[in-house]
Amino acid sequence: MKLFMKILKKLIIVIIATNIIIPHFIEISFCQKMEDNIKNEINEWIEWAKIAWRYFEPGVGVDKNTGLHRASLYWNAFTDWDLGGYLITILYAEKIGLINREGEWGADKRIEKVLDFLERRELKEDGIAYSGYDMNGKPLYSTSITNPSDSGRLLIALYMIKKYKPYFSSRIDNIVYKKHNYKKIAMDNEAWKTTSDFYAYYVAHGFKFFNFDNYTPVANALNEINSMRNREKVDVYGIKLPKADITMEPLLHIIFELEPNEEIMNYAYKIYLAQELRYKNTKRYTAWSEGNAPRPAHAPVRAPWYVYEWIVLRDGRTWIITPKQIIPVTYTKAAIGLHALFNTNYTKNMVDYIIKNFELLDLDLENGFFEGINDAGEIVLERIDKTNTLIIEAAYYAIKKLTEKTHKLNIQNIKKIYTLGEGIEIKLNFSGIELPYPHNHIWEIGIYNGSEKIIEEKHITEKHNVTLAYNIENGGLYNLSCKMAIDYNGCNSSIYNSTNILIYSAQIFSIKAPLIANINESIKIVANIKYDLYTKDLGNIGIPLQLKIINRENNQTLVINQTKPLNGSGIIPINFIIRAPSIEKNLGLAIESYYKINDEWVHDKTGWRKEFDIKIVKQNITQTEIYILKYETIKETKTIIKTITEKFETIKTIIKTSEYLNNLIIILIGLLIIAIISILSAITMIKGRKIYRV
């Protein structure tokens, strides 16, 4: 039987250990595997971004002399839409770490070359830009002018540069407000008829950022999302979408460049689902946008084969391509953009399908990504700026989102309760996958008492952790709020954490006791205690105070009083009665205040103890005698002050009339000694005549 019990005990221990240790190791293994998968995904996004950036290298898509880019390897020119896209690409390439800020072809130099062009480019007489310029900065067409869409995208790019690189702000403001006449475009109703719905909503933000949103066409465009909300819906493979001009291009720009609200993200998800359902019904990958289509063999190189693929049109038609019907194209930029947004099996398989087809045909990606693949399996061999711009934007969005999944901000070494005067040491620790490019950690710490800000600090460091120490002067319930932002070129990825701190306090606010008492007299003493004892968060009904009166001569406790449990803050009077000694003496006393934490009586670091004296005498002192003593003290004090004043007046007279410096110095020293003696006499007399302490 004993052997059986021993075996049973060991078996129970093994079972308990198994249930505790094995799940712990499984959890660690799962977390490690998840982190490894995320790292692999990040590396993949970085590789795609590097391929896309090849298009913008000098000598490929960017002119080595002017620093201006071209919209396509087949078209050595650009529109303002394209130019805005190039500026945004520079910003995102720097954020990812594809280029540095400094250097001949660093981000700032590239931006400066574009700003130089915008400051000096030729415009129409009314300050409106031409529709296109070549890589030397010359207008392409003498009669064709730009439009709200192209202008709006350029304005968005200029605003983003102001935001992330404010040292360019004055130049940009001059370009927008003085060089160009964007006001005329903002108020041109006819011009705004060339854009609609998500496109209009997107480009209108550029005008809004520079305060042109008070013009009706811009205001109407900014209201497009609200307008779509109330429109009739169209059924697209079971997904209800509004009657609107819908394609992926403007939605991706809104999400990657602006600050989309929940409604925009819901639209994006529904539009994504409609495309996935088309794939399930047709077995054709679907990522519709705008871009180039395969050119027929007989078509000239410059033939207009740029198309727009509409999932829905305003008239309710679905899956329409304009300006000419072609075999639908699955665009590389739209597929990768959807993958950045939703990261589903469908988006992953679609991106793999496109890239593997490029590899199978041994296509060279040294100059960036190709446009895409049509439903017949043909590769669209064009390479353009818009495709590679969106891929770089998508890469940054995805990298940021993936790393944030693993980020944690831990508040360590913090206690729930502190005593007043006790130093508070806080350790903040960041954990998770780091962004794959140089960055700082910006630590922001705030300590609040309700809405009142007690402490606010900001620390910028490369370290993953900081240790901070504080000493708060008053008791109470405080909230410690921490924010850690991973900062790279003004683009923040932030995480938050907060906790409550209780600082208990029981301070002796005042003591009322007589200065003189008769021998064997009952002496009443009142101690007013200012307390801060918040206990609701701890589930307690309250905390009692304990006060002691101590005889300082022998450190003996004369009396102990304890209050009922307290919760909150306030001032409470506590009464004591002690018996005076039977002999004349100076009775030295002290009052000490305590409160209970975890069944222990503790006290503040300061303000918890006050000492005072009571003179014990034989004779009785009547109230009338007290008043006489008070009167005489005040009278004699006034006399001393008057004497001191007269002495100083004498000093002034002597200074004015004295002829010899030596005599003056001797007189001044003598009068100063008289003044000091008089002041000390006054203080001594006043102290000797005090009767009550309050």
Side-chain angles (χ1 to χ4, degrees), residues 86 158 270 307 361 392 419 526 645 668 674 685:
Y86 175 49
L158 292 173
K270 287 181 179 180
V307 298
L361 295 175
I392 289 171
T419 58
V526 180
T645 305
L668 284 173
I674 293 169
M685 184 176 294

Side-chain angles (χ1 to χ4, degrees), residues 63 81 169 200 219 342 379 395 447 522 550 564 653 680 685 688 693:
D63 188 274
W81 178 285
S169 291
F342 304 112
I379 306 292
I447 297 180
S522 292
I550 310 291
K564 64 181 181 180
T653 305
L680 291 173
M685 184 176 294
R693 175 189 292 103

Side-chain angles (χ1 to χ4, degrees), residues 6 38 153 201 223 244 359 447 464 496 510 595 599 613:
K6 284 183 180 180
I38 289 174
R153 180 148 168 78
Y201 176 79
N223 195 50
E359 292 171 351
I447 297 180
H464 292 73
Y496 302 84
S510 65
Y595 43 89
D599 295 326
D613 295 329

Side-chain angles (χ1 to χ4, degrees), residues 89 181 194 210 340 424 494 511 553:
T89 307
N181 188 1
T194 60
F210 288 94
I424 301 173
S494 301
I511 298 172
E553 185 178 351

Side-chain angles (χ1 to χ4, degrees), residues 30-84:
F30 174 78
C31 292
Q32 185 61 51
K33 186 176 180 181
M34 184 186 76
E35 195 164 300
D36 290 342
N37 289 339
I38 289 174
K39 285 179 180 177
N40 291 335
E41 287 185 62
I42 289 171
N43 290 334
E44 189 172 48
W45 279 107
I46 291 172
E47 286 305 309
W48 292 342
K50 286 179 178 177
I51 292 171
W53 180 248
R54 292 171 187 168
Y55 179 91
F56 299 98
E57 292 289 359
V60 182
V62 176
D63 188 274
K64 290 181 179 180
N65 298 315
T66 64
L68 299 175
H69 88 297
R70 52 180 171 172
S72 165
L73 296 186
Y74 294 100
W75 189 53
N76 296 330
F78 57 86
T79 66
D80 276 9
W81 178 285
D82 303 324
L83 192 61

Side-chain angles (χ1 to χ4, degrees), residues 408-461:
K408 289 182 181 178
L409 177 58
N410 304 305
I411 302 175
Q412 300 172 332
N413 204 42
I414 197 83
K415 299 193 301 184
K416 277 290 182 185
I417 301 172
Y418 292 85
T419 58
L420 187 64
E422 181 182 1
I424 301 173
E425 186 179 82
I426 302 165
K427 290 184 178 179
L428 302 176
N429 177 61
F430 163 75
S431 61
I433 296 175
E434 288 279 18
L435 293 172
Y437 35 83
H439 58 273
N440 284 320
H441 297 104
I442 302 175
W443 306 86
E444 295 182 18
I445 298 93
I447 297 180
Y448 302 87
N449 186 351
S451 59
E452 183 185 1
K453 188 187 300 176
I454 307 300
I455 291 171
E456 186 176 57
E457 287 188 353
K458 187 174 184 178
H459 302 271
I460 301 176
T461 174

Side-chain angles (χ1 to χ4, degrees), residues 31 144 168 207 341 384 428 434 437 526-527 579 662 677:
C31 292
S144 179
F168 287 124
F207 290 89
L341 289 180
I384 68 171
L428 302 176
E434 288 279 18
Y437 35 83
V526 180
R579 177 70 62 182
N662 289 338
I677 292 170

